[in-house]
Amino acid sequence: MNKSSMKFNTIGVITKPQVEPARKTLHALFSFLKNKNCHVILDQQIPDNIISSALNNNIADKFESASRKTIGEKCDLVIVVGGDGTILNAVRSLSHVHVPLVGINVGRLGFLADISPDKLEESLEEILDGSYREEQRFLLEVKVLRDNKVIFEADAFNDAVVHIRDIARMIEFETRINDEFVNHQRADGIVVATPTGSTAYALSAGGPLLHATLDAITLVPISPHTLSSRPLVVHANSQIDILICDTKEGIAQVTCDGHASTDVHVGDHIKINRKEDRITLLHPKQHNHYEILREKLGWSEHT
Amino acid sequence: MNKSSMKFNTIGVITKPQVEPARKTLHALFSFLKNKNCHVILDQQIPDNIISSALNNNIADKFESASRKTIGEKCDLVIVVGGDGTILNAVRSLSHVHVPLVGINVGRLGFLADISPDKLEESLEEILDGSYREEQRFLLEVKVLRDNKVIFEADAFNDAVVHIRDIARMIEFETRINDEFVNHQRADGIVVATPTGSTAYALSAGGPLLHATLDAITLVPISPHTLSSRPLVVHANSQIDILICDTKEGIAQVTCDGHASTDVHVGDHIKINRKEDRITLLHPKQHNHYEILREKLGWSEHT
Amino acid sequence: MNKSSMKFNTIGVITKPQVEPARKTLHALFSFLKNKNCHVILDQQIPDNIISSALNNNIADKFESASRKTIGEKCDLVIVVGGDGTILNAVRSLSHVHVPLVGINVGRLGFLADISPDKLEESLEEILDGSYREEQRFLLEVKVLRDNKVIFEADAFNDAVVHIRDIARMIEFETRINDEFVNHQRADGIVVATPTGSTAYALSAGGPLLHATLDAITLVPISPHTLSSRPLVVHANSQIDILICDTKEGIAQVTCDGHASTDVHVGDHIKINRKEDRITLLHPKQHNHYEILREKLGWSEHT
Amino acid sequence: MNKSSMKFNTIGVITKPQVEPARKTLHALFSFLKNKNCHVILDQQIPDNIISSALNNNIADKFESASRKTIGEKCDLVIVVGGDGTILNAVRSLSHVHVPLVGINVGRLGFLADISPDKLEESLEEILDGSYREEQRFLLEVKVLRDNKVIFEADAFNDAVVHIRDIARMIEFETRINDEFVNHQRADGIVVATPTGSTAYALSAGGPLLHATLDAITLVPISPHTLSSRPLVVHANSQIDILICDTKEGIAQVTCDGHASTDVHVGDHIKINRKEDRITLLHPKQHNHYEILREKLGWSEHT
């Protein structure tokens, strides 16, 4: 196969901030891409010495470093080397463009970074050749309104979590979906998660596993005072509104993907809805969502 | 409002087998429909004495008794007086036709029978006048295959439950969704539920609440041996296949809506998918799904 | 019955800081105690105007105000008027003495404050007469050790909670019981609760209900990462040691009864064991622990 | 060490009914016991050919076969080779005598059969030498009363389970503890478990882990209709009474240790209390209850 027959020609590479554990995998990736004669744009954060050692001090013409912005504009495929957190990070910077992402895990298998380093060449060969499984995933758009003004805005690929900072203080909040009153809850907080996020914090809090491509959002209460509280699953088109009613003199917080966060006060509304832009993930043909679940959740255990 | 302006003209009435507790509500309903000058077809199971006493021994010209089949063919609206079980029963006999259903509860508020008898006139007035909230719900089509032959077939509006009959014997089964292997489980069984059924048995087994109109199916393991088992939520288009691997010398069973059931053996496949026909439920305009959840699940409790 | 035949002669009265909602109940209590000719020592926090208006501006000889310390030393019974929080507060100041406590609830029925104001006279009559149900409950002794030095020390009647302050950061910790390694967990935290506390925060986190007088402690993980984590119940004599392994750059905290708290760092040990002093609660003869559970947890609901 | 210094001299050996998988371990055990010059009484169920091949067709003088009854009477230690089920079986036949038990697992590590075959010599050497960890465990005494007559009686080392046979029918029952009414439940059933049984069926049903030597019993509802139902933990001295109120025309059953069972009718009382006789289990000195939990429940997983 030569480059002209390849489906993707300009390839971005993004990796995790602590680049050392990824070094070996990056080496393999760079060799592969050089052999393929791809035009490669590396995230500026990747140190030069990693690049040059990978290419035997012989930086290929077709390798350049650039900002995430440029990667988003010029690449027709972005390869992310790291863990699920690295992909979350890449998604945040690339969600407005429509470049597909591929994840190669470093360390352990991830839900998102699902290509194992020892299958790197084989899997990428297939994908560059146009043989892959494409998956659309959505993000949440999260806004905090105070006195009808937006005081905070962030995207969430996994989840938006409303939570009290001080465990001794419960939070009280009201949830509305499409302007319909759902309930008034006293709890440590609530997780509003995409299907992608249903394997993350929402799962620890007792939520269900949503199939990755389901058009649905789950709302999972955290340590609810009312024992009959249960996780809700609603359509992804739903307009979710969480009104902070009481924080018992404690400080409540909204956190998106465990990353962007802001304090919220009594009277603040947290408005959550699906973002229009989608994320495209590419997987090898033989990718199986359930295989990853089995592996990550220990379902294959023999006990 | 006179009849000619009404949206629905031929009205079927179905009630529960133990008709006595429904007598008062049927009286009110019959009077209302007579005043409206509707053409009314009563389920044959309703005893004559209830009808005649309701109409002061003065059976209206426009009231007749007929089979469920005739009701399905001739009516453009069916009013069900009873509990959720009565509606499940009506749905089973009417799922192939497309007549909309309205539920009036007798006794306690139901998830499906959501019009309170004391709002009967007011709510039906609105609905007959064409002012209502329409909701499409789906059923499951459940088949048991043995040696590639269908040995059992039933519809389920709530759920299909695969379960061991003898508590001392676990069942082992494998689940596949769209031909992808999901997992091998040892458990007391599994519930496969529609959104409608997510408030029924699936909820007791630890499943999430799916919004009534969500295009999704939930699979909830019952007392699973693997502690990391969690409820799954998948798209309603999914082809679900449960293969019985071992019944530990016990007898396993499939039950649809707690009604139709059959024994299943090692090697049997239970195939479940969405039925093409939908059920149309009509609700008063001010109907609120979450209000019923709050009421039924005790969320409004003050503790 | 005259005073000489009464089992208790010097009665302390403690109430909640926001005394207003308790005013009516305090009036009734003061009248009752005056009629009984009891020697009454009121908590200094109770404002004079409440006392004088309760006694028609006619402060009885036998009524005096004093500190908690004096109440603990001189009284042979302490009546607490308020909610469960007021009793927790009273217990903290009186745990070293062995004076029995009686709780009269203000507002809602409590697990601890279980005498309803409208049964105040009847119930206290019985109790003063020596006809009651006595219950011993224990507290936890909680210490934080840093570099082998105790840097924090508090009692807990309900629970000691180790928790991360920032929801975006999981905590990692190791639990040892009687010097045996139990497990290494990643979670939002862990609740270590007495039977008394098993109806409080531990319950919201998914813990079991321990009978109030059981000699046991429960350890309940909060939103654990490992899905097979389950609440543990161990003997009340157990020496519990929680070692903070990682806080992911966040701040972890230990909180006792939602009241006393301190930050904890990586390497800190939280040592928890049963306190030697017991709390004695008196209940009316017909007191039924399960009746309160049914009432508070909505088990009597008719759904 | 010679025999005279050994703590145990007459050793019983019990194994599982399907003896083949245990053959290798039995060989090792028999050689070991022959070398130790122990007097060995083998369960009659063990086929001669296994014994003779283990001893090189050279049946030792000190090896004999006998009934469980004789084993119970003559032995001062019984070694059980199999899984937890084999130990449950041995306990049922030996609970009235006070001979200590040691469990060697065949296949997988068990909660009860906790000595691995590859540590057989080492562990037994220690134990015969008197160096071991002794653990007392209790059984439940289960009786079904109909019209005040005992119609069924069995012991349970793990649990007594009250359950409906037909999943389409809920059971209604009332629980009383020490004659105090606890609650009225609608559910698929209830598990009443010892600490030993808290790692078995009760765990699948959502119960807590009780430390093996805790003086407590847990009551765990199975798929309860009331969502605020929670597992209870009560003192092991409690008198538990479950009254069958309604079986919805289905058949309810009581099953002890998944073994002995009987049908129960409306009006039947299931009375459960601790049996006076205890079971003594011996473990190697370095035995750690939590290590087995970690292993069996997958807590050591790295996900």
Side-chain angles (χ1 to χ4, degrees), chain A residues 86-102:
Chain A
T86 319
I87 302 219
L88 286 178
N89 181 284
V91 162
R92 273 193 291 273
S93 53
L94 299 172
S95 70
H96 54 291
V97 293
H98 298 111
V99 56
L101 300 175
V102 160

Side-chain angles (χ1 to χ4, degrees), chain A residues 108 161 163 165-170 186 188 201 203-205 222-225 227 253 255 258 297, chain C residues 108 161 163 165-170 186 188 201 203-205 222-225 227 253 255 258 297:
Chain A
R108 293 182 312 201
V161 181
H163 199 274
R165 280 181 71 88
D166 183 345
I167 198 56
R169 307 280 176 261
M170 263 195 182
R186 284 185 287 164
D188 280 1
Y201 188 59
L203 189 61
S204 291
I222 307 169
S223 300
H225 194 87
L227 297 184
Q253 235 182 356
T255 303
L297 305 186
Chain C
R108 294 184 309 203
V161 181
H163 200 274
R165 280 182 70 88
D166 182 345
I167 197 58
R169 307 277 174 266
M170 262 194 181
R186 285 184 287 165
D188 279 1
Y201 189 60
L203 189 61
S204 291
I222 306 170
S223 299
H225 194 86
L227 298 184
Q253 233 182 357
T255 302
L297 305 186

Side-chain angles (χ1 to χ4, degrees), chain D residues 206-220:
Chain D
L209 293 161
L210 309 190
H211 190 275
T213 58
L214 191 70
D215 265 344
I217 293 172
T218 184
L219 293 91
V220 184

